[in-house]
Tab-separated table of all heavy atoms in Angstrom:
chain	number	residue	atom	x	y	z
Y	26	GLY	N	0.785	15.282	2.352
Y	26	GLY	CA	-0.515	15.737	2.816
Y	26	GLY	C	-1.496	15.809	1.664
Y	26	GLY	O	-1.215	15.349	0.559
Y	27	ALA	N	-2.640	16.377	1.956
Y	27	ALA	CA	-3.666	16.496	0.929
Y	27	ALA	C	-4.569	17.672	1.246
Y	27	ALA	O	-4.700	18.081	2.405
Y	27	ALA	CB	-4.494	15.219	0.861
Y	28	TRP	N	-5.188	18.203	0.223
Y	28	TRP	CA	-6.239	19.195	0.386
Y	28	TRP	C	-7.537	18.419	0.494
Y	28	TRP	O	-7.876	17.632	-0.395
Y	28	TRP	CB	-6.279	20.147	-0.802
Y	28	TRP	CG	-5.132	21.097	-0.803
Y	28	TRP	CD1	-3.978	20.981	-1.505
Y	28	TRP	CD2	-5.009	22.284	-0.027
Y	28	TRP	NE1	-3.142	22.028	-1.221
Y	28	TRP	CE2	-3.750	22.852	-0.312
Y	28	TRP	CE3	-5.834	22.931	0.882
Y	28	TRP	CZ2	-3.318	24.025	0.283
Y	28	TRP	CZ3	-5.397	24.110	1.461
Y	28	TRP	CH2	-4.152	24.639	1.157
Y	29	VAL	N	-8.251	18.597	1.597
Y	29	VAL	CA	-9.466	17.835	1.860
Y	29	VAL	C	-10.606	18.769	2.232
Y	29	VAL	O	-10.396	19.924	2.594
Y	29	VAL	CB	-9.252	16.815	3.003
Y	29	VAL	CG1	-8.195	15.801	2.645
Y	29	VAL	CG2	-8.919	17.495	4.316
Y	30	TYR	N	-11.827	18.243	2.140
Y	30	TYR	CA	-13.013	18.943	2.620
Y	30	TYR	C	-13.935	17.907	3.246
Y	30	TYR	O	-13.853	16.718	2.930
Y	30	TYR	CB	-13.708	19.726	1.499
Y	30	TYR	CG	-14.158	18.881	0.322
Y	30	TYR	CD1	-15.410	18.288	0.311
Y	30	TYR	CD2	-13.323	18.702	-0.769
Y	30	TYR	CE1	-15.823	17.528	-0.774
Y	30	TYR	CE2	-13.721	17.943	-1.859
Y	30	TYR	CZ	-14.976	17.360	-1.846
Y	30	TYR	OH	-15.378	16.605	-2.910
Y	31	PRO	N	-14.805	18.336	4.171
Y	31	PRO	CA	-15.691	17.387	4.850
Y	31	PRO	C	-16.668	16.709	3.887
Y	31	PRO	O	-17.139	17.328	2.927
Y	31	PRO	CB	-16.447	18.254	5.857
Y	31	PRO	CG	-15.595	19.459	6.043
Y	31	PRO	CD	-14.908	19.678	4.740
Y	32	VAL	N	-16.977	15.455	4.172
Y	32	VAL	CA	-17.950	14.704	3.376
Y	32	VAL	C	-19.297	15.410	3.464
Y	32	VAL	O	-19.693	15.889	4.518
Y	32	VAL	CB	-18.081	13.255	3.914
Y	32	VAL	CG1	-19.246	12.540	3.272
Y	32	VAL	CG2	-16.802	12.497	3.690
Y	33	GLY	N	-19.979	15.514	2.362
Y	33	GLY	CA	-21.299	16.126	2.319
Y	33	GLY	C	-21.291	17.618	2.074
Y	33	GLY	O	-22.346	18.221	1.927
Y	34	GLU	N	-20.127	18.237	2.045
Y	34	GLU	CA	-20.057	19.671	1.787
Y	34	GLU	C	-20.308	19.926	0.303
Y	34	GLU	O	-19.844	19.187	-0.553
Y	34	GLU	CB	-18.689	20.218	2.172
Y	34	GLU	CG	-18.618	21.721	2.056
Y	34	GLU	CD	-17.349	22.249	2.670
Y	34	GLU	OE1	-17.239	22.222	3.898
Y	34	GLU	OE2	-16.478	22.671	1.884
Y	35	VAL	N	-21.047	20.974	0.021
Y	35	VAL	CA	-21.370	21.310	-1.369
Y	35	VAL	C	-20.521	22.498	-1.816
Y	35	VAL	O	-20.199	23.376	-1.022
Y	35	VAL	CB	-22.873	21.624	-1.545
Y	35	VAL	CG1	-23.705	20.398	-1.273
Y	35	VAL	CG2	-23.301	22.751	-0.635
Y	36	PRO	N	-20.148	22.538	-3.076
Y	36	PRO	CA	-19.337	23.658	-3.571
Y	36	PRO	C	-20.164	24.936	-3.652
Y	36	PRO	O	-21.382	24.897	-3.802
Y	36	PRO	CB	-18.894	23.193	-4.952
Y	36	PRO	CG	-19.860	22.151	-5.347
Y	36	PRO	CD	-20.389	21.532	-4.102
Y	37	ASN	N	-19.470	26.063	-3.566
Y	37	ASN	CA	-20.155	27.351	-3.710
Y	37	ASN	C	-20.368	27.649	-5.198
Y	37	ASN	O	-20.107	26.803	-6.050
Y	37	ASN	CB	-19.379	28.473	-3.005
Y	37	ASN	CG	-17.971	28.632	-3.525
Y	37	ASN	OD1	-17.639	28.182	-4.617
Y	37	ASN	ND2	-17.127	29.282	-2.750
Y	38	ALA	N	-20.822	28.838	-5.509
Y	38	ALA	CA	-21.143	29.208	-6.898
Y	38	ALA	C	-19.931	29.142	-7.820
Y	38	ALA	O	-20.067	28.918	-9.022
Y	38	ALA	CB	-21.757	30.593	-6.936
Side-chain angles (χ1 to χ4, degrees):
W28 287 98
V29 298
Y30 59 89
V32 170
E34 186 170 289
V35 295
N37 58 19

